[in-house]
Amino acid sequence: MTLKAMLIAGAMAIAPATGMAADLTIGFSQIGSESGWRAAETTVTKQEAEKRGINLKFADAQQKQENQIKALRSFVAQGVDAILLAPVVATGWDEVLQEAKEAEIPVILLDRTVDAPEDLYLTAVTSDLVHEGRVAGNWLVDEMAGEKCDVVELQGTTGSSPAIDRKKGFEEGIAGHDNLKIIRSQTGDFTRSQGKVVMESFLKAVGGANICALYAHNDDMAVGAIQAIKEAGLKPGQDIKIVSIDSVPDIHLAMAAGEANATIELTPNMAGPALDALEAYLSTNTAPPKWIQTESRLFTLKDDNKAIYEMKKDLGY
């Protein structure tokens, strides 16, 4: 299979539309558009619904949980057939999920999990977030080969499952390697602008010469950090190694230019598996597994990153 075919299949794979799907109305509460990956997830979700003939009601929460809770209550009041929820944080969902359950509206979590009883949602379609962080940590271990390396970390949104789990996984990946040490860690809220601001503060606090590597919980923060590093007169990818997560087009462009070193892919197509599971559940009344895992992949400078950028740039990022 060609690279283009693999990328398109990964982002757009769908099941054949069914008559049942064409009769469904589904609410989709999206976190917002804080990153290129998030925009791609929204685009692919809308495309999945359109191809299946589903009436998708979309609500952008603008990174605020209170907006998501309002949206879910609105969906319940409208009597939708199901709800897709990409939760901005992990806690505080029990009450509104209970309301959806009492209305017999199944809820499917997309790309993030919640700290709530499992009977309040149908399934969660996510990558293994801890595994993603661990892959990033393992890559840095191999890259440094025992050399001393002080690391700064750009965390995602405080309290979100990706921030919690990607931090945990990275720390597990570098555990037992005393040459690697996280010397600064702060949230950049998954945004490019905050990634730049926080990286500027890291550089000012400890000096660029004292930072060996940057680990960012998503690519957009890494791209912002790259700009800060360049403005400080340093060479990103060389003076400061950069590993991040998502595999959005712009990070591959940076890697093609030698300004970033590695990224772990997070597919934007969470909706395809979610809608497959929902349609099977509605037709057979058989609940899917509580977790449907998507695949992650490590990309490094050994890959043809310019080609990957060209293939991904039109997929909605």
Side-chain angles (χ1 to χ4, degrees):
M1 183 181 289
T2 66
L3 175 61
K4 181 174 183 179
M6 288 190 292
L7 290 170
I8 292 176
M12 297 300 299
I14 61 170
T18 66
M20 178 192 67
D23 297 329
L24 294 179
T25 296
I26 296 176
F28 174 31
S29 175
Q30 177 60 288
I31 292 170
S33 55
E34 83 284 5
S35 66
W37 184 90
R38 185 70 53 193
E41 183 194 37
T42 296
T43 297
V44 172
T45 301
K46 289 179 177 179
Q47 290 173 341
E48 286 282 348
E50 182 179 358
K51 288 178 182 292
R52 296 166 189 254
I54 292 172
N55 177 26
L56 187 73
K57 295 182 176 294
F58 176 74
D60 184 333
Q62 299 179 327
Q63 281 81 25
K64 296 180 180 179
Q65 185 183 32
E66 58 264 33
N67 290 344
Q68 290 201 293
I69 291 173
K70 289 178 183 177
L72 262 62
R73 287 187 169 135
S74 175
F75 293 151
V76 171
Q78 294 173 62
V80 299
D81 297 296
I83 294 171
L84 302 178
L85 169 64
V88 64
V89 293
T91 59
W93 298 103
D94 294 43
E95 184 176 344
V96 71
L97 290 178
Q98 181 65 39
E99 293 169 17
K101 180 180 179 181
E102 290 173 358
E104 299 184 348
I105 299 173
V107 176
I108 297 180
L109 307 178
L110 297 185
D111 75 83
R112 296 185 178 187
T113 57
V114 297
D115 293 333
E118 290 189 346
D119 66 324
L120 295 183
Y121 60 90
L122 181 64
T123 187
V125 180
T126 76
S127 66
D128 186 332
L129 298 168
V130 175
H131 173 70
E132 290 173 348
R134 193 181 299 120
V135 170
N138 290 341
W139 173 83
L140 189 59
V141 168
D142 293 341
E143 181 73 9
M144 296 313 300
E147 293 183 25
K148 182 178 183 298
C149 185
D150 286 344
V151 183
V152 294
E153 177 184 29
L154 283 169
Q155 296 185 43
T157 302
T158 302
S160 69
S161 54
I164 295 166
D165 291 345
R166 287 173 177 174
K167 180 174 181 60
K168 177 183 178 183
F170 185 79
E171 290 175 348
E172 289 179 359
I174 66 173
H177 298 274
D178 295 339
N179 59 307
L180 304 178
K181 180 182 178 182
I182 299 173
I183 59 170
R184 285 285 191 282
S185 183
Q186 185 175 328
T187 180
D189 209 27
F190 284 127
T191 67
R192 195 169 298 198
S193 60
Q194 280 302 109
K196 183 176 186 291
V197 168
V198 177
M199 189 66 202
E200 287 171 344
S201 73
F202 288 159
L203 291 164
K204 183 177 180 180
V206 300
N210 298 314
I211 299 173
C212 163
L214 163 68
Y215 166 50
H217 289 191
N218 80 340
D219 291 337
D220 276 79
M221 291 189 295
V223 171
I226 287 170
Q227 186 61 37
I229 293 167
K230 292 165 73 173
E231 290 177 3
L234 300 169
K235 295 180 179 180
Q238 298 179 44
D239 296 327
I240 298 177
K241 296 183 183 298
I242 296 172
V243 56
S244 54
I245 298 173
D246 278 356
S247 180
V248 304
D250 280 354
I251 202 68
H252 287 285
L253 198 60
M255 290 168 69
E259 295 181 345
N261 305 86
T263 185
I264 296 87
E265 184 173 40
L266 174 63
T267 176
N269 187 22
M270 304 287 177
L275 294 175
D276 286 345
L278 176 64
E279 291 170 8
Y281 171 70
L282 294 177
S283 63
T284 67
N285 201 33
T286 301
K290 279 296 174 183
W291 180 35
I292 299 173
Q293 182 181 353
T294 60
E295 184 181 3
S296 300
R297 177 184 170 187
L298 172 68
F299 290 97
T300 69
L301 296 180
K302 295 179 182 178
D303 293 289
D304 187 347
N305 286 285
K306 187 61 186 299
I308 296 168
Y309 167 78
E310 292 294 335
M311 295 305 106
K312 285 197 168 195
K313 66 179 183 180
D314 295 324
L315 293 179
Y317 288 92

